[in-house]
Amino acid sequence: MRIGLLLLACGVLSGQVDTGELRLSVSDSTGLALPSSGTLVSALSQTRREFKTDDAGRFTFQHLPFGMYRLNVEHAGFTRSSSLVEMRSAVPREIHLELKVEAAATEVVVTDAATLIDPHSTGVNYAVGAQQVQEQQSAIPGRGLMDLVNMQPGWLFEANAVLHPRGSENQTLFVVDGVPMDENRSPGFAPDLETGEVESMSVLTGDYPAEYGRKLGGVVEVTTSRDIRPGLHGEAEIGGGSFGEATGLASVVYGWKRSAFTLSASGEHTDHYLDPPVLGNYTNTGTLDGATAVYDQDLSDSDRIHLSVHRKQAAFEVPNENLQQAAGQRQDRTSREDLGQAAWTHEFSARLLLSVRAAVEDLAANLWSNTLSTPIVAFQQRGFRRGYANATLAAHTGRHEIKIGADGYYAPVTEALQYQIADPSYFDPGTPPAFRFFDHRLDREQAGFAQDTMRLGNLTLSAGVRWDHYSLVVRDQAWSPRLGAAWYWPKAGVVLRASYDRTFITPAMENLLLASSPQVDSVDPLVLRIPLRPSLGNFLETGFSKALLGKARLDASFYRRTFANYADDDVFLNTGISFPIAFQSAQIRGVDVKLAVPHWGKFSGFLSYSNMIGIAQLPVAGGLFLGDNAVGVVGVTGGFPISQDQRNTARARLRYQVHARLWVAMVASYGSGLPVDIDGAVDLTALVSQYGQQIIDRVNFEAGRVRPNFTLDLSAGADLWKQEKRTLRLQMVVENLTNRLNVINFAGLFSGTAIAPPRGASVRLQYDF
């Protein structure tokens, strides 16, 4: 299925789940249209949109996260209007403002304190606004978006920027402009999404709407679409820095009448793409490129279409250990993604909205090794071509916000892997010296849902139910109820929350056919070889949100998650290939706290803290275990800390607006360290030979933990030139300012070894027009 065919699919655009649309019209007291300008601001969602109405006094704001907004409208010679607007429904909301002639000069003092919290939200939605997205810059290409998510409480990285929400592995659902992408989106598995393409993000770790399923460790909603503006505008940027980094991006948008066309392209190169297992950073180059085209049109006040296609690809090397580098090993990987979608929305009335969507995705990944690779020479080809269709109906009636819908996947999956043992001494006697695998299956998944949000004064209730059917290696189905409640105490400025999510989480698709195949019994026959089934979870959460001094917001969440068939993955002999596995069960509990200051004078920022404990129960199913790894799982039962069991995590960001055209920011991150699982007596001599003394010193073998990690990043930006709608901006970042050696994972049975990046710097020159 090629790009030229992708646009043949047609469907509907519903955007993010909890977003709405605001249609503004402005006139004078006689009803004459009044072209105006102003801002729409929300401290909660970190939204700030400047606008100018058309000659008819109209403007449409799209993709607005639910919550409270401050709408400011002005026109010379007329009294300025400032009002609070609440967005609560996917059905578009219309507001008409009538400006009065200004009798005398007046000064209107406006604050955004009323937009700090959402009094009717039954869960926490961590928003990442356009300003922070624009200012995000990474010294390593392909990680900007992941870094923004990782700053939120409850999330942490393992090797190669793989996200783990509240202890879950391979269970992050990305929703990009309404299209769910439940495959692993880390740099080692799929091409990146450039932060330059992103308008805003919302991050959820609980209280999931019934519309979401399949991967529910955490949800990241990404919006790339902008409000339609007339004329030609866009951005171009170039950058470079440490590790041979070179980046470039160009995006051009042309808007006319009620239509807009966007074309963008990007390219990046680095000599430090993945997180290496040793300090040498051997064989670690990476090159990325991509192109995107988007067309939006408002056919009428009731109908809108959205068409988009993109191709993204990455080519990179797999970092060597010391012994592999000495042997001359070279392993290369590639990933490619073609994606196309077409969407249409139709507004039946002011209370009823229909959304239908279709998308086609072709995702492929390959690995090959040279003949000097050790202890194994491996080759892999895998991919799938997925068709997706979705339809939803949203209704606003009285106290109720109702949404019903259904979706489905149709995806042929292909996997091929072969290996040849190069160093027999590394493996147990009897391990087959060569292995070949090929399989092709059809993934068919269907789901339906219904949900309702009810407002009863200061009490808000949400209730939903989802049905999932899954058919790939196994067939399974489940009903998943979702419940939430929020009570608002106006005098204290507090919202109390509680929610329950029943989840049906499908296994990771990467190498699933091999991990579930009886053919692997010839390699490790003692490992439990049963097809991996979906994970069933029960998520409980309570918490509160409170406004502080009209300038800050405190969010706290206390959660407990229990799983049957707890999903994880196993890294295969430092090849970068991972296989899905499942433990019998798991329990995870913790607390997430975030103090956010959207704007206080010239300062803004946040402070967050997470505490988590995760215990999984053996035995393990799936995976491909060879050599010492097989010994660590065969016949083992009992509980152990999950590989993401970092007990304490803290992050902070402080931004200061030095001048109207100059800002500086500092980001600090701390982690208490992940578990180390080494059975038996520790042979320090062998470990030093394999990894080096400096890395060994960063492991506390007695405590069974990697020693705590800490990073301090510094960034700054300046508008070098600004005229009307044109801006030339310079930004720079220094990451890991203290050049501290941070070990992410060490010799993990399932996670391998990885070293966090050393100090690195990059600079970016950006031109907006």
Side-chain angles (χ1 to χ4, degrees):
M1 219 170 286
R2 289 290 176 250
I3 287 285
L5 300 178
L6 298 181
L7 282 174
L8 296 179
C10 77
V12 160
L13 179 65
S14 61
Q16 294 171 286
V17 170
D18 288 337
T19 63
E21 179 176 304
L22 176 62
R23 297 172 180 175
L24 172 67
S25 62
V26 184
S27 70
D28 61 17
S29 58
T30 68
L32 185 65
L34 198 64
S36 307
S37 62
T39 58
L40 184 70
V41 180
S42 171
L44 174 65
S45 63
Q46 299 186 36
T47 299
R48 180 180 176 85
R49 299 195 190 178
E50 299 180 355
F51 67 91
K52 289 185 177 180
T53 67
D54 59 19
D55 293 338
R58 294 181 174 273
F59 190 85
T60 300
F61 302 93
Q62 301 175 7
H63 312 296
L64 292 176
F66 287 177
M68 304 298 296
Y69 290 81
R70 172 72 66 178
L71 176 63
N72 303 308
V73 181
E74 58 185 21
H75 181 92
F78 288 78
T79 302
R80 180 185 180 186
S81 171
S82 180
S83 57
L84 285 175
V85 178
E86 184 176 7
M87 297 301 300
R88 194 60 56 192
S89 174
V91 178
R93 179 176 179 181
E94 296 191 6
I95 290 183
H96 175 73
L97 291 180
E98 193 176 280
L99 300 187
K100 297 182 179 180
V101 176
E102 188 176 40
T106 58
E107 182 179 353
V108 179
V109 178
V110 177
T111 68
D112 302 327
T115 68
L116 275 170
I117 62 174
D118 185 346
H120 304 292
S121 176
T122 56
V124 176
N125 189 327
Y126 298 115
V128 182
Q131 182 187 70
Q132 188 177 351
V133 172
Q134 182 187 67
E135 294 175 356
Q136 174 61 32
Q137 186 176 345
S138 176
I140 299 180
R143 302 197 181 193
L145 192 69
M146 301 298 179
D147 285 339
L148 287 170
V149 178
N150 190 50
M151 289 183 187
Q152 310 309 314
W155 297 74
L156 61 84
F157 278 158
E158 273 194 301
N160 306 320
V162 177
L163 288 167
H164 295 84
R166 292 184 173 176
S168 293
E169 178 90 40
N170 288 330
Q171 293 178 20
T172 299
L173 175 66
F174 279 87
V175 184
V176 182
D177 290 335
V179 176
M181 298 180 176
D182 56 21
E183 62 273 4
N184 192 327
R185 305 301 302 181
S186 64
F189 286 83
D192 69 319
L193 181 67
E194 288 286 342
T195 53
E197 303 175 72
V198 176
E199 173 68 11
S200 62
M201 294 197 319
S202 296
V203 181
L204 292 76
T205 49
D207 187 45
Y208 302 119
E211 187 167 354
Y212 283 157
R214 300 188 176 93
K215 301 293 185 293
L216 281 180
V219 177
V220 181
E221 300 172 329
V222 179
T223 297
T224 66
S225 302
R226 272 75 166 179
D227 301 325
I228 293 177
R229 294 180 292 164
L232 181 67
H233 48 281
E235 64 176 302
E237 66 179 53
I238 57 172
S242 304
F243 319 123
E245 178 190 12
T247 64
L249 180 143
S251 179
V252 178
V253 183
Y254 183 72
W256 70 99
K257 294 182 180 179
R258 307 176 75 168
S259 306
F261 178 75
T262 303
L263 184 64
S264 61
S266 63
E268 300 171 285
H269 175 81
T270 181
D271 295 332
H272 193 298
Y273 186 65
L274 298 180
D275 295 324
V278 295
L279 293 178
N281 189 42
Y282 307 120
T283 62
N284 199 10
T285 63
T287 301
L288 305 90
D289 61 78
T292 303
V294 181
Y295 176 72
D296 291 286
Q297 183 176 8
D298 293 344
L299 300 175
S300 66
D301 289 340
S302 301
D303 296 275
R304 175 178 300 141
I305 61 170
H306 170 92
L307 305 173
S308 70
V309 294
H310 80 222
R311 161 166 280 202
K312 297 179 181 292
Q313 50 195 8
F316 53 96
E317 299 170 320
V318 178
N320 285 338
E321 297 178 355
N322 292 330
L323 301 179
Q324 293 168 331
Q325 181 69 14
Q329 171 171 291
R330 170 73 182 266
Q331 292 182 326
D332 292 87
R333 292 185 63 187
T334 61
S335 60
R336 174 186 52 78
E337 179 183 56
D338 295 335
L339 175 68
Q341 65 165 309
W344 165 67
T345 56
H346 175 71
E347 184 180 352
F348 289 105
S349 68
R351 297 179 178 274
L352 192 62
L353 180 73
L354 172 68
S355 298
V356 183
R357 165 197 324 281
V360 180
E361 180 184 18
D362 188 348
L363 186 63
N366 300 302
L367 175 139
W368 61 96
S369 309
N370 67 357
T371 56
L372 299 178
S373 297
T374 184
I376 200 166
V377 180
F379 299 87
Q380 182 199 41
Q381 302 84 37
R382 66 173 180 83
F384 65 87
R385 295 176 176 177
R386 179 169 59 193
Y388 170 77
N390 166 281
T392 62
L393 191 64
H396 168 72
T397 172
R399 302 175 182 268
H400 300 269
E401 300 293 342
I402 301 172
K403 203 169 189 180
I404 60 174
D407 67 12
Y409 280 165
Y410 183 90
V413 181
T414 301
E415 289 179 14
L417 182 136
Q418 64 184 61
Y419 75 72
Q420 182 174 350
I421 290 179
D423 182 3
S425 65
Y426 186 88
F427 302 93
D428 295 332
T431 301
F435 177 78
R436 289 176 178 268
F437 175 84
F438 176 84
D439 200 0
H440 179 84
R441 299 282 186 93
L442 182 61
D443 178 23
R444 288 174 293 183
E445 303 178 36
Q446 305 85 33
F449 74 92
Q451 60 193 45
D452 183 17
T453 301
M454 299 159 282
R455 286 181 53 178
L456 305 170
N458 290 336
L459 177 65
T460 303
L461 301 175
S462 64
V465 63
R466 178 183 176 91
W467 173 79
D468 282 280
H469 176 263
Y470 170 76
S471 176
L472 181 50
V473 177
V474 299
R475 290 187 177 184
D476 205 348
Q477 63 178 352
W479 290 92
S480 303
R482 313 276 173 82
L483 302 171
W487 183 70
Y488 178 47
W489 185 7
K491 290 184 179 181
V494 172
V495 180
L496 303 177
R497 300 174 277 99
S499 65
Y500 166 75
D501 297 319
R502 174 69 169 174
T503 62
F504 177 84
I505 301 175
T506 56
M509 187 177 292
E510 294 82 10
N511 300 306
L512 176 63
L513 304 186
L514 177 58
S516 302
S517 173
Q519 185 178 339
V520 186
D521 290 345
S522 64
V523 177
D524 54 340
L526 297 181
V527 176
L528 185 60
R529 186 63 51 193
I530 60 174
L532 298 180
R533 305 192 69 85
S535 173
L536 300 177
N538 293 286
F539 298 176
L540 289 170
E541 179 177 316
T542 61
F544 66 88
S545 298
K546 177 173 173 53
L548 300 173
L549 305 175
K551 298 292 186 180
R553 182 183 67 256
L554 178 65
D555 296 310
S557 300
F558 308 87
Y559 64 89
R560 177 182 172 87
R561 294 180 167 188
T562 59
F563 297 86
N565 300 323
Y566 173 70
D568 206 323
D569 71 351
D570 171 55
V571 178
F572 181 58
L573 297 178
N574 193 40
T575 61
I577 301 174
S578 70
F579 294 92
I581 58 178
F583 299 103
Q584 183 182 65
S585 63
Q587 293 187 5
I588 299 171
R589 67 181 187 273
V591 56
D592 294 333
V593 181
K594 183 176 183 180
L595 175 65
V597 183
H599 182 74
W600 196 331
K602 294 184 177 182
F603 290 93
S604 61
F606 66 83
L607 174 65
S608 70
Y609 170 76
S610 297
N611 178 274
M612 187 194 75
I613 298 175
I615 302 296
Q617 298 291 328
L618 293 165
V620 63
L624 179 60
F625 301 97
L626 299 177
D628 293 339
N629 284 352
V631 176
V633 297
V634 173
V636 179
T637 59
F640 68 99
I642 62 175
S643 60
Q644 306 85 35
D645 180 57
Q646 179 165 273
R647 300 297 170 87
N648 299 287
T649 306
R651 300 183 182 93
R653 183 177 192 262
L654 178 65
R655 183 186 187 276
Y656 179 67
Q657 191 74 40
V658 180
H659 182 270
R661 294 190 178 185
L662 176 66
W663 60 269
V664 294
M666 181 178 64
V667 174
S669 300
Y670 167 84
S672 58
L674 295 173
V676 172
D677 184 11
I678 297 181
D679 295 329
V682 177
D683 186 348
L684 288 179
T685 302
L687 291 177
V688 169
S689 174
Q690 187 173 5
Y691 298 106
Q693 185 64 53
Q694 288 179 278
I695 294 178
I696 299 304
D697 290 342
R698 296 299 305 156
V699 180
N700 187 336
F701 292 99
E702 183 177 349
R705 294 264 170 180
V706 172
R707 297 190 187 278
N709 57 76
F710 175 79
T711 58
L712 184 66
D713 305 335
L714 181 66
S715 58
D719 293 342
L720 303 180
W721 176 77
K722 194 170 186 177
Q723 185 178 18
E724 295 182 353
K725 297 181 180 180
R726 297 180 176 89
T727 304
L728 182 63
R729 181 179 298 109
L730 179 68
Q731 290 187 199
M732 60 83 66
V733 62
V734 180
E735 296 182 330
N736 195 4
L737 189 65
T738 62
N739 202 30
R740 179 187 176 97
L741 173 59
N742 290 312
V743 176
I744 305 173
N745 313 100
F746 180 76
L749 177 60
F750 304 111
S751 56
T753 300
I755 311 304
R759 179 169 53 219
S762 67
V763 63
R764 178 174 67 187
L765 188 65
Q766 181 178 331
Y767 177 61
D768 295 335
F769 61 93

